[in-house]
């Protein structure tokens, strides 16, 4: 198996290659090497794990980006422009992107007011996107958990089931 560049499947098809269901792998056919079912199964496991990581770890990356890059960047701007302390600036950025708006501190300079507008227009959609992804993730986990619980509950002893009946 050799890795190859990602491109549409129809563009890579040729007489001397056998396509695997992964867009990034191509098996080269020859008389001495063939793709075995164990190799195909291991590729399926790798693909499933990569799909899991891509789908369920994405909210974590967005949250890390907001916490470690976006908020400190704008906190640094407010520290420079308004003269606030670093933690006060960081708190202000969190308040702006979460749309809480306590109103206890506000920028006085025109540069600070412009920075709040830019921070809000970029940070609010970014934080809402991350919040939506976390909601999808929690929904998936709850669905899986309730499915497993209800399956075990159905398999339980009928006498035990009567204890949990809702009137």
């Amino acid at each position: 198996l050799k890795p190859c560049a990602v491109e549409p499947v129809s563009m890579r098809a040729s007489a001397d290659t056998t396509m695997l269901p992964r867009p990034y792998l191509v098996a080269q056919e020859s008389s001495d090497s063939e793709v075995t079912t164990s190799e195909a199964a291991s590729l399926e496991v790798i693909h499933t794990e990569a799909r899991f990581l891509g789908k369920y770890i994405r909210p974590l990356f967005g949250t890390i980006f907001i916490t470690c890059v976006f908020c400190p960047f704008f906190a640094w701007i407010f520290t420079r422009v308004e003269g606030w302390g670093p933690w006060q600036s960081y708190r202000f950025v969190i308040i702006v992107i979460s749309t809480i708006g306590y109103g206890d501190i506000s920028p006085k300079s025109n540069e600070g007011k412009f920075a709040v507008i830019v921070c809000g227009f970029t940070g609010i959609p970014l934080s809402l996107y991350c919040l939506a992804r976390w909601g999808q993730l929690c929904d998936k986990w709850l669905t899986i958990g309730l499915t497993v619980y209800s399956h075990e509950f159905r398999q339980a002893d009928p006498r035990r089931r009567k204890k949990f009946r809702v009137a």
Side-chain angles (χ1 to χ4, degrees):
L1 295 179
K2 293 180 8 179
C4 71
V6 176
E7 56 189 38
V9 174
S10 62
M11 297 175 73
R12 287 188 291 152
S14 65
D16 62 335
T17 60
T18 302
M19 301 299 295
L20 290 177
R22 309 313 155 260
Y24 50 88
L25 292 175
V26 175
Q28 298 291 335
E29 285 186 279
S30 65
S31 59
D32 58 335
S33 70
E34 296 259 338
V35 177
T36 63
T37 46
S38 64
E39 288 174 340
S42 66
L43 288 175
E44 184 63 34
V45 168
I46 291 170
H47 179 66
T48 303
E49 289 174 356
R51 191 173 26 183
F52 173 80
L53 289 176
K55 188 173 184 180
Y56 297 117
I57 303 299
R58 191 172 295 135
L60 180 62
F61 290 134
T63 306
I64 289 172
F65 175 77
I66 288 174
T67 307
C68 298
V69 177
F70 185 85
C71 289
F73 173 73
F74 277 100
W76 176 77
I77 289 175
F78 289 118
T79 300
R80 295 287 182 176
V81 171
E82 294 296 324
W84 300 334
W87 290 112
Q88 187 178 13
S89 299
Y90 193 85
R91 179 179 169 267
F92 179 73
V93 172
I94 295 291
I95 290 170
V96 168
I97 67 172
S98 64
T99 68
I100 294 173
Y102 289 126
D104 56 344
I105 56 174
S106 61
K108 304 290 185 242
S109 67
N110 289 334
E111 295 86 5
K113 293 174 183 177
F114 180 74
V116 168
I117 293 170
V118 172
C119 178
F121 276 139
T122 55
I124 292 170
L126 186 63
S127 63
L128 290 178
Y129 173 76
C130 290
L131 186 63
R133 297 295 296 179
W134 276 108
Q136 290 173 350
L137 183 63
C138 290
D139 177 46
K140 185 71 171 176
W141 286 346
L142 284 172
T143 303
I144 290 171
L146 290 174
T147 303
V148 168
Y149 176 75
S150 67
H151 177 69
E152 289 178 6
F153 183 71
R154 277 185 255 139
Q155 300 297 328
D157 186 27
R159 291 173 291 176
R160 194 169 153 222
R161 246 186 269 160
K162 290 180 183 177
K163 290 181 185 177
F164 294 108
R165 178 181 276 172
V166 178

